[in-house]
Amino acid sequence: MALNSRDRRSGIDARALATLKATMAELDRDSPIYVRIATALSAQVASGQLSPGQPLPSHRELARSLDVNLTTITKAFNLLKKRGVISAEAGRGTAVRGRDLNHAAPSYDQPRLPPAIDLSVHKLSVPGYQEFIGSLLRKIASHPDDLARLQEYHSAFGSNHNRRLAVEWLLSWGVAATPNQVAVTAGAQHAILVVLASVLTAGDSILVPRLVYQGVKAAAQVLGLGLIPVDTDEHGMIPDSLARLVGNPRVKAIFLVPTLANPTTVTMPLDRRQAIVDIARRNSLLIVEDDLFRPLASNRLPSLWSLYPEGCFHISSLSKVIAPGNRCGFVAFPERFGAAIASALRGSIWMTDVISLTLVQSLLEQKKHLEFVGTLRQQLTTRHSLALAHFGGALAKSDPESLFLWLDLDSSQDSTAIAEMLYERGIGVVSSDVFMIGKTKPSNGIRIYKGSARSDTEWDIALSLIATLVRKPE
């Protein structure tokens, strides 16, 4: 806020104050006032109206100008400090962060230390995995010839042997492909980036669910792609809504998670899958099918890949169903895109970690992947039952076999504020705002990973804390 033309009562620049109030007026009125103040100030920093190093008014001055109490301003400033937008130092007051403050560039999505119980991300491996990988690594270390092989360059696609492993992995979950149709990637996020880089160019757009996995948002931003939201219902993406958007000449692809979708846990029924494939085929659109959670579903519906092999890219990985640290993924693709996929693989990481591929080989040979997934599915359904005791009908949309819960909040509650309050109490969750595309808020809820609590007891403790802050919708 500039230091000239100040309001006589508060010493705050009048024009900056008017802009701040106007921005707050455009925000969701259901959000707490301190969240709206923090969001509006962040917008002024992002737009350059507040520059790095610029001092901010005192808490008391801003409270008087906005006609709010001092506690509200304190909460807003604390939120901004946690996000890394402002810095407060003894003797210097509060200022916008910049390189001259704390020697750090300003950041509006500041990484934070994980909370004591972090249910915002998938963190833990399947029970029994650590013992398995420990035994495998000891075996590898005892064979010098194997160690030498692991240090060599390998094909960007993965060797012929590794591509056959990919085929076997996919076939375990009812997805049929040939070795010429698959490539090995460093996890599913890498696969998404590779596919989008292979078939789209900057300025193209992708149709996505209005609540979409945040990794797609990140990949699209890196590649300069647009994301256009499609309305959804209890069965996923709505075909009529999709059909109204496919005429846009910039639209080249559709992205969706058809099974146990992230974040809503919705599984798309067969007729809905077929309707979306029909629209894509009629309009020559590609489909990117992120099917990471398919192994967890006991009822395995036909994949979009099986319905549309000439225009679909099917993505799978070990990260969500075996261990998050295993960065091995697979993509099945129409053969005509093989050269483009190979180029994107070489241009990103060249090849997937060979130790991860060796682990996959052992998993498949010993059928351990089936055992581990079965164990995880049982754990998830048990924890879902515990969650029902706390939240009941608020979990009506959550599938028991999903890796996470989707907890609907009362309309009077703000998901961002709830997530912040839980973080302050040592519990990590993700609010619906993180997944939103477009200005319309399609859902008000939080995502909670079931597999990230270290025990059922810790899971129950976390649910109890969450339950104290949320109201159960009737």
Side-chain angles (χ1 to χ4, degrees):
M1 293 180 180
L3 300 180
N4 57 356
S5 304
R6 289 178 176 267
D7 181 289
R8 290 182 180 177
R9 289 186 307 139
S10 64
I12 298 174
D13 177 86
R15 286 179 299 177
L17 180 61
T19 302
L20 181 64
K21 290 180 176 179
T23 303
M24 290 174 57
E26 294 175 358
L27 300 175
D28 185 357
R29 289 282 182 176
D30 290 334
S31 298
I33 184 66
Y34 80 92
V35 173
R36 279 184 277 154
I37 292 170
T39 303
L41 286 169
S42 293
Q44 288 191 322
V45 173
S47 68
Q49 295 177 67
L50 293 174
S51 57
Q54 186 170 333
L56 294 176
S58 70
H59 292 44
R60 195 171 302 281
E61 285 179 320
L62 194 55
R64 188 163 53 242
S65 295
L66 296 177
D67 196 24
V68 298
N69 61 48
L70 195 59
T71 302
T72 297
I73 298 299
T74 299
K75 291 174 69 176
F77 275 32
N78 284 340
L79 183 54
L80 288 170
K81 281 188 283 187
K82 287 179 180 178
R83 292 178 176 175
V85 178
I86 63 175
S87 175
E89 297 183 18
R92 297 184 61 179
T94 304
V96 177
R97 285 190 68 174
R99 292 190 182 278
D100 56 334
L101 288 172
N102 302 333
H103 306 286
S107 172
Y108 312 112
D109 187 22
Q110 188 78 358
R112 303 189 290 184
L113 290 175
I117 305 177
D118 190 1
L119 308 180
S120 65
V121 294
H122 183 41
K123 295 180 70 71
L124 302 179
S125 59
V126 175
Y129 173 82
Q130 291 185 14
E131 293 78 6
F132 175 80
I133 193 172
S135 174
L136 175 63
L137 291 176
R138 287 190 292 272
K139 180 179 178 182
I140 292 172
S142 67
H143 294 79
D145 290 343
D146 289 343
L147 286 173
R149 178 179 58 81
L150 295 179
Q151 298 177 63
E152 300 171 358
Y153 273 118
H154 294 263
S155 165
F157 267 132
S159 67
N160 289 337
H161 174 67
N162 290 335
R163 295 175 78 178
R164 286 193 292 273
L165 289 178
V167 169
E168 187 175 347
W169 169 269
L170 293 172
L171 195 59
S172 296
W173 321 118
V175 178
T178 68
N180 289 333
Q181 295 174 309
V182 297
V184 181
T185 66
Q189 183 63 39
H190 180 227
I192 291 171
L193 190 67
V194 163
V195 168
L196 297 182
S198 299
V199 300
L200 302 176
T201 58
D204 288 343
S205 291
I206 312 166
L207 298 176
V208 299
R210 198 170 285 279
L211 285 178
V212 68
Y213 166 56
Q214 65 266 45
V216 179
K217 297 167 70 173
Q221 184 177 27
V222 168
L223 298 172
L225 305 173
L227 298 178
I228 300 176
V230 180
D231 291 333
T232 58
D233 60 15
E234 69 276 14
H235 300 305
M237 193 177 280
I238 300 173
D240 286 347
S241 179
L242 180 69
R244 287 193 293 270
L245 298 169
V246 295
N248 185 330
R250 290 188 178 274
V251 170
K252 303 296 175 59
I254 304 166
F255 174 91
L256 40 75
V257 184
T259 303
L260 300 175
N262 187 0
T264 59
T265 85
V266 168
T267 292
M268 191 177 288
L270 179 57
D271 60 344
R272 183 65 60 90
R273 296 175 187 230
Q274 188 63 65
I276 288 173
V277 164
D278 290 344
I279 292 171
R281 183 176 279 125
R282 287 197 305 270
N283 293 275
S284 299
L285 296 179
L286 300 171
I287 291 179
V288 181
E289 179 184 27
D290 186 0
D291 218 11
L292 304 190
F293 308 106
R294 182 180 183 85
L296 297 175
S298 53
N299 178 19
R300 296 200 185 105
L301 296 167
S303 65
L304 300 176
W305 160 261
S306 68
L307 300 174
Y308 188 36
E310 73 274 22
C312 182
F313 296 80
H314 179 92
I315 294 171
S316 183
S317 87
L318 277 71
S319 63
K320 295 296 191 290
V321 296
I322 301 291
N326 187 292
R327 307 313 300 161
C328 182
F330 309 102
V331 56
F333 54 86
E335 284 192 48
R336 61 193 170 107
F337 291 106
I341 293 287
S343 178
L345 286 166
R346 285 193 292 268
S348 53
I349 63 164
W350 185 272
M351 69 183 203
T352 302
D353 173 60
V354 184
I355 293 179
S356 293
L357 288 170
T358 303
L359 171 64
V360 175
Q361 177 180 341
S362 295
L363 282 169
L364 292 170
E365 288 175 349
Q366 300 179 42
K367 306 298 181 185
K368 281 287 187 178
H369 62 307
L370 301 176
E371 175 188 328
F372 286 157
V373 170
T375 299
L376 177 59
R377 189 185 300 119
Q378 180 59 51
Q379 180 191 63
L380 296 175
T381 53
T382 297
R383 291 191 174 180
H384 192 87
S385 297
L386 290 171
L388 285 173
H390 287 277
F391 302 110
L395 297 180
K397 298 175 185 175
S398 290
D399 192 301
E401 294 179 333
S402 175
L403 198 58
F404 36 82
L405 301 173
W406 181 254
L407 177 61
D408 280 324
L409 299 179
D410 187 272
S411 59
S412 65
Q413 294 184 301
D414 178 79
S415 60
T416 303
I418 291 293
E420 284 293 335
M421 287 188 282
L422 285 169
Y423 178 84
E424 292 172 357
R425 289 162 173 77
I427 306 294
V429 301
V430 182
S431 74
S432 53
D433 291 348
V434 172
F435 308 99
M436 278 178 52
I437 299 291
K439 296 181 179 180
T440 303
K441 191 167 186 175
S443 184
N444 183 41
I446 54 177
R447 188 195 66 184
I448 308 167
Y449 263 102
K450 291 191 279 188
S452 296
R454 290 177 285 266
S455 67
D456 287 348
T457 299
E458 184 177 85
W459 173 244
D460 196 51
I461 291 170
L463 295 180
S464 297
L465 287 170
I466 295 170
T468 62
L469 287 181
V470 302
R471 302 186 186 96
K472 301 176 184 178
E474 296 299 329

